[in-house]
Amino acid sequence: MQNAEYSCEYGSLKFYALCGVGGVLSCGLTHTGVVPLDLVKCRMQVDPQKYKSIFNGFSVTIKEDGVRGLAKGWAPTFIGYSMQGLCKFGFYEVFKILYGNMLGEENAYLWRTSLYLAASASAEFFADIALAPMEAAKVRIQTQPGYANTLRQALPKMFAEEGIWAFYKGVAPLWMRQIPYTMMKFACFERTVEALYKYVVPKPRSECTKGEQLVVTFVAGYIAGVFCAIVSHPADSVVSVLNKEKGSSASQVLMRLGFRGVWKGLFARIIMIGTLTALQWFIYDSVKVYFRLPRPPPPEMPESLKKKLGLTE
């Protein structure tokens, strides 16, 4: 397999390490880029009387803290999501190959959607443990006025008040929100890429230039992002209200918000998550192209299975 075209072998340690680098860049950069939007979203969810809409939220924040106030919480966002990206994409590749080998070639093809779902869920489980401490600090910095302005102020203060638990008490809600989201993000992306090459792109992937392949990546990423936003939106609404109101449980919040309540703000989130997911896949795939990593084409039915099903002449 090792040839001049690739810098390492598929599934080697170097391959996983460079995939991790791709994950760091893709998640770290995109999430840090949308900090102002995220800041206003969090504040709207925590104090809807003061921050009435996205535009109103921006103007109130700028009036009070200046333009620099919009970047509040950028450090924990960058560090937290870089760690998360490293684990999410790095472990996804690890688990995809591990579970694929456990199933064997034929079953790995037949059950490929389940394989993507299982590998991404396993990866996100660890990714959220890596993200939790920084996410906790970010929410404090962004939504509790006067608590702390920087990460360096927030971490020691949180540790002094609640000990190590302060950093991990949000991990279960994170799992609830992020695991369904990531399963959708990866499985939907993989199947959309497969479908695009099969039904939309007029020539086989092997004849497409790297640039054309990256366009397919971007489009599939956006489509996956739309589904991600829809699947995780109710949980996102609940998590935000929970962070705001100490002492209420998830089920109480759900009952009170009702069916219409949990879908509030979905359109804005589709735009944000769609763009974010498309950019993340685009950056991740670009890093793979740059480092000349092996990028296997969408799965084909194994020859042995074709014979069994009588599909070969």
Side-chain angles (χ1 to χ4, degrees):
M1 184 71 192
Q2 184 79 19
N3 59 21
E5 196 188 338
Y6 300 127
S7 63
C8 62
E9 256 183 67
Y10 184 62
S12 62
L13 270 177
K14 183 180 175 186
F15 173 77
Y16 293 137
L18 289 173
C19 284
V21 170
V24 166
L25 290 171
S26 98
C27 289
L29 294 175
T30 49
H31 280 278
T32 308
V34 294
V35 161
L37 198 58
D38 185 50
L39 171 99
V40 173
K41 181 199 74 130
C42 284
R43 287 185 170 180
M44 278 167 62
Q45 287 168 324
V46 170
D47 191 352
Q49 266 68 49
K50 187 175 171 185
Y51 305 92
K52 294 178 183 67
S53 68
I54 291 256
F55 294 107
N56 171 264
F58 271 106
S59 59
V60 170
T61 303
I62 291 170
K63 215 173 279 165
E64 288 187 351
D65 309 331
V67 176
R68 286 192 62 182
L70 288 172
K72 248 184 150 179
W74 72 269
T77 300
F78 181 70
I79 297 167
Y81 281 97
S82 294
M83 302 280 292
Q84 192 219 24
L86 173 80
C87 298
K88 182 193 291 214
F89 283 95
F91 281 132
Y92 175 68
E93 301 285 358
V94 172
F95 284 118
K96 191 163 105 176
I97 292 174
L98 181 75
Y99 294 160
N101 291 342
M102 282 161 63
L103 286 171
E105 192 187 22
E106 291 180 9
N107 287 332
Y109 175 78
L110 288 172
W111 298 96
R112 60 192 181 284
T113 306
S114 307
L115 176 70
Y116 305 144
L117 291 169
S120 54
S122 307
E124 187 61 41
F125 177 82
F126 294 105
D128 288 341
I129 296 172
L131 168 66
M134 291 295 152
E135 178 79 3
K138 174 188 83 83
V139 172
R140 292 280 176 102
I141 291 168
Q142 288 183 343
T143 62
Q144 290 186 8
Y147 184 80
N149 277 318
T150 63
L151 186 60
R152 276 179 304 206
Q153 294 167 354
L155 294 180
K157 194 168 176 182
M158 288 168 71
F159 187 71
E161 286 172 7
E162 301 180 72
I164 202 80
W165 177 238
F167 302 110
Y168 290 102
K169 67 177 183 189
V171 77
L174 257 184
W175 281 332
M176 277 168 39
R177 189 186 76 195
Q178 291 295 126
I179 290 179
Y181 165 81
T182 302
M183 289 165 75
M184 200 64 173
K185 175 170 161 177
F186 282 87
C188 193
F189 172 78
E190 298 265 20
R191 293 308 299 248
T192 306
V193 168
E194 199 181 315
L196 287 174
Y197 280 119
K198 200 167 168 185
Y199 301 113
V200 182
V201 182
K203 54 187 178 181
R205 180 176 183 265
S206 50
E207 290 171 26
C208 296
T209 63
K210 295 263 170 35
E212 288 166 339
Q213 290 178 9
L214 287 171
V215 171
V216 174
T217 298
F218 186 84
V219 172
Y222 210 104
I223 293 169
V226 172
F227 286 103
C228 284
I230 295 168
V231 160
S232 63
H233 194 71
D236 186 67
S237 302
V238 172
V239 166
S240 299
V241 175
L242 273 179
N243 284 335
K244 174 179 82 183
E245 300 171 5
K246 306 282 174 279
S248 48
S249 72
S251 49
Q252 288 168 318
V253 173
L254 251 179
M255 296 285 286
R256 207 183 64 245
L257 281 174
F259 184 75
R260 294 215 28 203
V262 293
W263 295 109
K264 217 175 146 233
L266 177 64
F267 183 68
R269 199 152 168 272
I270 282 182
I271 304 280
M272 182 177 136
I273 300 279
T275 311
L276 210 67
T277 309
L279 280 172
Q280 283 180 356
W281 278 114
F282 185 76
I283 293 169
Y284 182 61
D285 220 19
S286 301
V287 170
K288 281 185 165 179
V289 169
Y290 177 78
F291 284 124
R292 305 204 320 280
L293 297 186
R295 292 157 59 243
E300 300 270 328
M301 187 181 286
E303 287 304 318
S304 56
L305 194 60
K306 282 185 186 165
K307 286 198 184 100
K308 274 186 194 167
L309 298 173
L311 294 173
T312 47
E313 277 75 63

